[in-house]
Amino acid sequence: IMPGGMPGATNLAECQELKELATKSLEEGKLVCAICASPAIVFGKYGFLKNKNWTCYPNMETETSKEAQLTWKTEPVVIDGNLITSRGPGTASIFAYSILSQLNLDDKAQNLKKGMLF
């Protein structure tokens, strides 16, 4: 799970070890997730957005290729296969619950939602 923010997203995008781990995880069918600027900055640089639906913080989509911009969405959370992306701070809870759901932890998500008064 890659957090957003700048220049943090840029720093993540430059990390070769992270790129290798995330690429391996995607290839193995594991979840790879990012929120805020990181979907555009990190996933865009790593080439993960090709033929994938995705979202990010408003206007960060312009930092990606024209091809990636064609599949950019405005939903709070977008799940495409094992890639999960979210827009930003206001969507963080929905992002977290979506990750739990994809991990087949719906009961945990429901308990967390109840405890958080979501």
Side-chain angles (χ1 to χ4, degrees), residues 30-86:
K30 296 177 181 174
L31 292 182
V32 179
C33 314
I35 191 169
C36 201
S38 285
I41 301 301
V42 181
F43 288 179
K45 180 171 182 165
Y46 292 176
F48 292 174
L49 302 177
K50 185 175 182 176
N51 300 318
K52 293 284 189 176
N53 292 308
W54 64 285
T55 194
C56 66
Y57 194 82
N59 298 316
M60 293 304 296
E61 72 278 2
T62 62
E63 299 296 318
T64 65
S65 69
K66 295 290 183 193
E67 179 183 25
Q69 291 177 38
L70 294 174
T71 57
W72 175 78
K73 308 295 180 196
T74 59
E75 286 86 11
V77 174
V78 175
I79 301 170
D80 192 332
N82 53 331
L83 195 78
I84 302 176
T85 55
S86 190

Side-chain angles (χ1 to χ4, degrees), residues 83-96:
L83 195 78
I84 302 176
T85 55
S86 190
R87 298 205 72 188
T91 65
S93 293
I94 302 166
F95 180 57

